[in-house]
Amino acid sequence: EAGVTQFPSHSVIEKGQTVTLRCDPISGHDNLYWYRRVMGKEIKFLLHFVKESKQDESGMPNNRFLAERTGGTYSTLKVQPAELEDSGVYFCASSPRFPSGNTIYFGEGSWLTVV
Amino acid sequence: TQLLEQSPQFLSIQEGENLTVYCNSSSVFSSLQWYRQEPGEGPVLLVTVVTGGEVKKLKRLTFQFGDARKDSSLHITAAQPGDTGLYLCAGFSGGSNYKLTFGKGTLLTVNP
């Protein structure tokens, strides 16, 4: 069974440009999450989808970040325009609708560097 | 804002030694998880502890959840080079079973 896959694995963009990160959750997982780790800080929650619906986007930093999950399958996280402080690792994770043992599966992350 | 403080931040030991990593908070968590992350990979769940005072064992790893559900520890017996990695604690709070609060992690290096 394929795990959570993220693309791109690494991205270097200039300040002011746009970047779109993609996440393919494990097939059949209704829950999809985005987390972020910036340098020197802990991993922080960004938002949670159940299928195509945003259940909680309380962790989104500001309106430069837009997450979508059309059709309830893959998800994209767009940063527009990117700022230097957006650099970090963006993790996507997924879990079944009612996760056994609260098991959440993380992808390998998308490293974003804004220069 | 709930915080999880992990200590130590870095730990370098010799193969065969024992070690303990701590995860502390002033807040109560409904459950707490420990993850291990290797370079270029995402966090991988090791264990979930739910009940205050609970102890779980996973081979040479022993996890404990504090009685008040505010702290946890990870003890590794006879560490092996394969145990090298970043160990993260993370907690669910407020009845949530999806929103994790993470600690900054403990980077463990086990030297042969």
Side-chain angles (χ1 to χ4, degrees):
Chain A
E1 178 182 285
V4 177
T5 57
Q6 294 187 242
F7 182 84
S9 57
H10 293 80
S11 183
V12 180
I13 63 171
E14 292 184 351
K15 175 182 173 181
Q17 289 187 324
T18 297
V19 64
T20 300
L21 310 178
R22 172 171 169 143
C23 169
D24 286 81
I26 293 173
S27 178
H29 281 190
D30 287 344
N31 290 310
L32 187 149
Y33 321 84
W34 284 98
Y35 283 81
R36 175 177 78 165
R37 181 168 191 155
V38 297
M39 187 71 71
K41 302 278 191 176
E42 67 274 16
I43 297 173
K44 285 191 175 179
F45 169 85
L46 296 180
L47 86 160
H48 170 216
F49 285 99
V50 177
K51 296 187 178 180
E52 68 276 5
S53 299
K54 290 178 186 175
Q55 290 295 109
D56 183 348
E57 51 183 329
S58 60
M60 294 289 263
N62 50 61
N63 60 9
R64 295 186 293 103
F65 289 76
L66 175 65
E68 295 180 319
R69 193 184 182 192
T70 307
T73 54
Y74 72 92
S75 174
T76 58
L77 179 64
K78 180 191 287 188
V79 185
Q80 178 183 30
E83 298 289 342
L84 298 179
E85 64 264 25
D86 300 332
S87 296
V89 186
Y90 290 77
F91 291 104
C92 178
S94 72
S95 68
R97 184 65 178 99
F98 301 105
S100 172
N102 288 339
T103 301
I104 297 175
Y105 300 86
F106 283 82
E108 294 181 348
S110 287
W111 289 76
L112 173 63
T113 302
V114 183
V115 297
Chain B
T1 303
Q2 295 182 301
L3 293 174
L4 278 169
E5 300 287 341
Q6 278 189 247
S7 61
Q9 188 176 357
F10 300 96
L11 190 54
S12 180
I13 62 172
Q14 293 301 120
E15 182 176 0
E17 293 184 353
N18 301 331
L19 66 113
T20 302
V21 175
Y22 300 93
C23 179
N24 296 298
S25 176
S26 58
S27 304
V28 174
F29 289 90
S30 56
S31 63
L32 198 140
Q33 299 186 323
W34 284 91
Y35 289 82
R36 179 164 168 252
Q37 184 180 7
E38 297 192 51
E41 306 283 334
V44 175
L45 180 65
L46 296 174
V47 76
T48 301
V49 286
V50 179
T51 307
E54 182 177 5
V55 176
K56 281 191 174 179
K57 291 192 175 184
L58 185 66
K59 296 184 180 178
R60 293 177 293 100
L61 278 61
T62 301
F63 305 86
Q64 186 164 6
F65 201 13
D67 291 340
R69 289 185 289 134
K70 292 181 178 182
D71 55 87
S72 181
S73 63
L74 158 61
H75 183 80
I76 301 179
T77 303
Q80 304 294 314
D83 296 328
T84 294
L86 179 67
Y87 289 82
L88 297 157
C89 66
F92 292 103
S93 60
S96 164
N97 65 348
Y98 65 86
K99 187 173 181 178
L100 285 166
T101 297
F102 278 88
K104 287 187 177 181
T106 295
L107 185 59
L108 171 65
T109 302
V110 182
N111 302 297

